[in-house]
Structures are given as C-alpha cells and as structure tokens.
C-alpha cells in the first residue's frame, strides 16, 4: 500500500479486492454499487484509501463509466467522498458511529425477531434456511463479500416478515454503514464459521416458535458488529470501544490501486 500526495493511501495493482464480474440482470451501475457496498461493509475497502474508477472497472470487467456512477451514488449516501483528479476516498467510521449503529439495531431487530416467533408459519422461516446455509458456505470458503451479501439478504428477508417496510429500510441503511474489519482475521483463523452458524440457529429457534431463544441468539449476533467483527474484543455486557483501524503499509507496485470494493 503506498501513500499518495496529501496523505491519502492508494492500494497497489496487486491488491485485488476479489470483486465479482457483473452481468446483465441489473443495470451495471446498480450491480457495481451493491458490490462496492458489500466490500465496504466487509472491511475490504479501507478509510484513507483512494480508489480509482478505472482500476475498479478493470476488476469488475466493465468500463469506467458505471463504476464512476456507482461511486457517485455511494458518495450521496455518505459512504465515500470524491477526491478531485484521483478517485474516491472511503469515509471513516468512528467509535461512536459503531456504538450508535449497534444500539439502534439491538433496539429494533431483537424485539422484532422475537415477536415473529409463533406468529408466522414455520414454512416462512424455512425459506430463509438456504440463505443461512449460503452464509455458512461463504464463511467456510473465505469469500467475505459473498458473506456480507448473503448476511444482508438474510437479515432483511427476516425483518420483512414483520410487514414493516420502513423498519426494513432503516436497518438496510444502518447495515450499509457498518464496517466489519475483523472478518478477514476471523476467516483466516477459521472462526468466522461460528458466527455464520448463528443464522441457522435463528432459523431453528423461529421454526420451533421459541421467542426466547431467537431473542438471545439475535442479540448476541448483533453484538459481534461492535465487537469481534469490528476487529476488537467484546464483553458480555458492553463491547469495548476500539481504536480507529490502521491501514497497513504495503510495498508499492506498478499500476494503480485495486482492492475489494475498489
């Protein structure tokens, strides 16, 4: 990783982000924007790094135009900011931001999921099992962007069973702002799969109609966002306040930046 003019960090060409090739099911702009959101949440794109649209486009296998358009969409959401004549810089997430996101998610998601137990047919919850198993498979293979994408679909699909579309959109926005810098380390240590299996446990509890179990697993699961998933230890009562993540220096190589979500 090299330092550019003005103190910005720029990933080297060798730092591929593992971005997927995009197809034709959605507009290229929408597909690129979603892939970049997933890479941001997974912590594959780091604050202080400037990502170039042409380099990202090469990783996606598309022209630079839909990538620039997608990055402008993310800038409107406050996830990145444009850097004149360079590209886009990832917006930094503060300790307080993570605290507040976790608190709001606990207040909304935990009681909502608990209320679902016993109020919907078991078949409704079983429809989410394939997504939960997809999360486990992504954890096992170490595909963090696929993990985050499936995780988002699982949680939003679960919450949509409440019938409250505004609630779903609030959580969608909050989840899109989280930064799970600890995922890579968990994956490399082989422990991410433990968190992944919690999704299956949530489905199991809801199928049984066990509101208490669903509530406990969901609360513990969300706490990971502020704790180990944010690359910091967590306590049973309140997660510790982590310092801002540091971006490791990497050897400079020929070419422009490139990195997951970049």
């Amino acid at each position: 990783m090299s330092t550019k003019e003005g103190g910005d960090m720029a990933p080297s060409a060798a730092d591929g982000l593992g971005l997927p090739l995009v197809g034709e099911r959605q507009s290229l702009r929408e597909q690129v924007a979603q892939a970049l959101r997933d890479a941001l949440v997974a912590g594959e794109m780091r604050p202080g790094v400037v990502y170039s649209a042409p380099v990202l486009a090469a990783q996606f296998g598309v022209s630079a135009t839909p990538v620039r358009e997608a990055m402008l969409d993310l800038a409107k959401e406050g996830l990145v900011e444009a850097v004149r004549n360079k590209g886009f810089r990832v917006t930094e997430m503060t300790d307080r931001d993570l605290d507040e996101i976790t608190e709001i998610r606990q207040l909304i998601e935990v009681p909502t999921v608990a209320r679902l137990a016993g109020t919907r047919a078991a078949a409704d919850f079983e429809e989410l099992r394939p997504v939960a198993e997809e999360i486990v498979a992504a954890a096992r293979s170490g595909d963090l962007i696929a993990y985050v994408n499936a995780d988002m679909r699982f949680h939003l699909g679960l919450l949509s069973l409440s019938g409250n579309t505004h609630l779903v959109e609030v959580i969608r926005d909050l989840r899109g702002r989280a930064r799970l810098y600890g995922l890579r380390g968990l994956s490399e240590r082989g422990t991410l799969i433990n968190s992944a299996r919690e999704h299956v446990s949530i489905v199991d509890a809801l199928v049984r109609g066990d509101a208490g179990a669903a509530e406990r697993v969901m609360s513990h699961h969300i706490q990971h966002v502020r704790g180990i998933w944010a690359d910091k230890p967590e306590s049973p009562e309140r997660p510790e306040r982590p310092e801002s993540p540091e971006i490791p220096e990497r050897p400079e190589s020929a070419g422009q930046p490139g990195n997951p979500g970049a």
Side-chain angles (χ1 to χ4, degrees):
M1 191 85 67
S2 59
T3 303
K4 290 294 191 180
E5 182 181 351
D8 291 323
M9 303 297 295
S12 72
D15 299 330
L17 296 176
L19 297 173
L21 294 178
V22 295
E24 300 297 333
R25 289 174 299 173
Q26 299 171 286
S27 74
L28 292 181
R29 176 177 184 162
E30 292 172 335
Q31 291 183 75
V32 170
Q34 187 56 55
L36 291 174
R37 288 189 191 94
D38 293 341
L40 281 165
V41 174
E44 299 287 75
M45 295 178 72
R46 293 278 176 156
V49 179
V50 175
Y51 295 94
S52 142
V55 171
L56 294 179
Q59 292 194 46
F60 280 118
V62 300
S63 71
T65 298
V67 176
R68 290 193 184 94
E69 292 173 342
M71 294 297 272
L72 288 172
D73 289 339
L74 298 186
K76 291 177 183 177
E77 297 171 21
L79 303 179
V80 300
E81 58 184 357
V83 180
R84 186 179 179 85
N85 298 326
K86 290 184 178 181
F88 296 84
R89 183 192 299 115
V90 176
T91 303
E92 187 163 3
M93 175 70 61
T94 67
D95 289 347
R96 181 167 182 174
D97 290 331
L98 286 171
D99 284 337
E100 292 176 351
I101 286 173
T102 304
E103 181 179 7
I104 295 170
R105 287 192 59 194
Q106 289 276 13
L107 290 172
I108 294 176
E109 292 188 66
V110 174
T112 298
V113 170
R115 284 196 300 271
L116 288 175
T119 64
R120 302 289 301 237
D124 292 336
F125 303 123
E126 286 291 356
E127 289 183 359
L128 291 168
R129 191 177 297 279
V131 185
E133 292 171 348
E134 186 180 336
I135 297 169
V136 174
R140 187 174 287 116
S141 67
D143 189 338
L144 301 188
I145 294 180
Y147 183 100
V148 166
N149 183 275
D151 182 68
M152 173 76 86
R153 287 187 281 113
F154 176 88
H155 283 273
L156 297 185
L158 180 57
L159 294 174
S160 70
L161 294 177
S162 71
N164 189 329
T165 57
H166 294 291
L167 180 153
V168 174
E169 288 308 309
V170 167
I171 297 302
R172 184 195 303 276
D173 178 69
L174 288 173
R175 289 178 60 86
R177 296 178 184 282
R179 298 291 181 268
L180 309 181
Y181 296 115
L183 288 187
R184 175 63 64 190
L186 290 175
S187 177
E188 291 172 351
R189 294 192 298 273
T191 55
L192 181 59
I193 194 169
N194 296 328
S195 295
R197 287 174 176 149
E198 290 174 352
H199 299 84
V200 178
S201 297
I202 292 169
V203 173
D204 289 340
L206 291 172
V207 168
R208 296 194 309 268
D210 189 338
E215 182 176 19
R216 287 191 298 275
V217 178
M218 179 61 77
S219 179
H220 178 70
H221 185 69
I222 292 175
Q223 201 73 312
H224 290 323
V225 174
R226 191 59 183 96
I228 57 174
W229 285 5
D231 203 20
K232 296 295 174 182
E234 60 183 346
S235 69
E237 299 178 357
R238 179 180 176 81
E240 296 182 11
R241 295 178 61 82
E243 300 175 357
S244 299
E246 296 182 357
I247 303 170
E249 290 288 342
R250 296 182 184 175
E252 206 172 324
S253 63
Q256 289 264 356
N259 193 344

